[in-house]
Amino acid sequence: MAEGNPEAPVGAAERVESERVVVYTDGACLGNPGPGGWAWIISEDRYGSGGVGETTNNRMELMAAREAIREVGSPMVIVTDSRYLSDCFEKNWWKKWVANGWRTSDKKSVKNKDLWQPIIEAYQSGLVEFRWVRGHAGNPGNEAADRLASLAASDQKMNSGYGESGYEGWLADNTGNTGQQSGLF
């Protein structure tokens, strides 16, 4: 798995990369647990985000992936800075969980099963592959997803009134731009 290279997904290498949409995802949490946000982004005009009042960072990372899978619906490579998410598939944790009745190796219930299940189903069907990228390292897609997720978490904390993602309001307030050129990348 090559860091920073969308051509090196975690998962079945025999699949044709050119047929897959590259989707960047991220989760954010202000405190852990605390108010959280999630985001996915393909381009400046195709993205989604949202938040939860009291959650964990891991849940927001998974929520971003689940929502991307649900909304995009076509074959994709999810690029994430979450080792929790990428390692699940690279290290085949999911196979052990399923074989053990959704129990970890130390016999505890798998956390976030409700989010893992649809992600694993999409992976098993061949719809999605995962690739890890270092966070906060200048990758434009990862940085854009991080901004959107952080804004969604802030919306949950501050109830800013900017709407689901907060991005449009932030953009207008900080750049004078009305959204025609969003500056996500």
Side-chain angles (χ1 to χ4, degrees):
M1 174 171 52
E3 176 184 326
N5 179 355
E7 301 302 318
V10 174
E14 70 275 4
R15 296 189 186 125
V16 178
E17 181 70 22
S18 64
E19 296 175 7
R20 295 186 175 273
V21 175
V22 176
V23 182
Y24 292 88
T25 65
D26 205 6
C29 204
L30 304 175
N32 201 15
W38 57 265
W40 61 266
I41 183 165
I42 295 170
S43 65
E44 290 184 4
D45 61 349
R46 191 164 180 207
Y47 61 91
S49 66
V52 177
E54 185 74 11
T55 190
T56 65
N57 192 69
N58 282 343
R59 281 193 67 78
M60 294 296 91
E61 296 284 358
L62 295 176
M63 183 76 80
R66 186 192 74 181
E67 292 302 310
I69 291 165
R70 183 165 43 200
E71 292 296 321
V72 176
S74 58
M76 69 187 78
V77 175
I78 289 182
V79 181
T80 178
D81 62 9
S82 169
R83 284 289 191 185
Y84 179 59
L85 179 56
S86 66
D87 281 356
C88 175
F89 299 97
E90 181 180 348
K91 297 179 179 181
N92 291 317
W93 297 344
W94 69 274
K95 289 181 179 180
K96 296 171 193 155
W97 296 340
V98 172
N100 293 330
W102 287 93
R103 298 265 177 210
T104 63
S105 57
D106 58 352
K107 309 293 183 221
K108 294 181 182 174
S109 293
V110 172
K111 292 181 181 177
N112 304 312
K113 176 183 171 185
D114 61 316
L115 297 173
W116 279 120
Q117 283 180 310
I119 295 169
I120 290 168
E121 288 171 11
Y123 180 79
Q124 287 178 299
S125 76
L127 180 65
V128 65
E129 295 174 356
F130 296 91
R131 188 182 63 73
W132 179 79
V133 64
R134 183 175 308 280
H136 309 287
N139 179 293
N142 176 257
E143 296 292 337
D146 178 69
R147 283 192 298 277
L148 288 171
S150 296
L151 286 165
S154 292
D155 281 353
Q156 292 301 310
K157 182 176 183 180
M158 301 165 82
N159 194 15
S160 67
Y162 285 140
E164 187 173 292
S165 74
Y167 180 73
E168 291 80 8
W170 172 85
L171 185 64
D173 288 351
N174 291 287
T175 66
N177 196 331
T178 60
Q180 292 299 321
Q181 293 186 354
S182 66
L184 286 172
F185 286 100

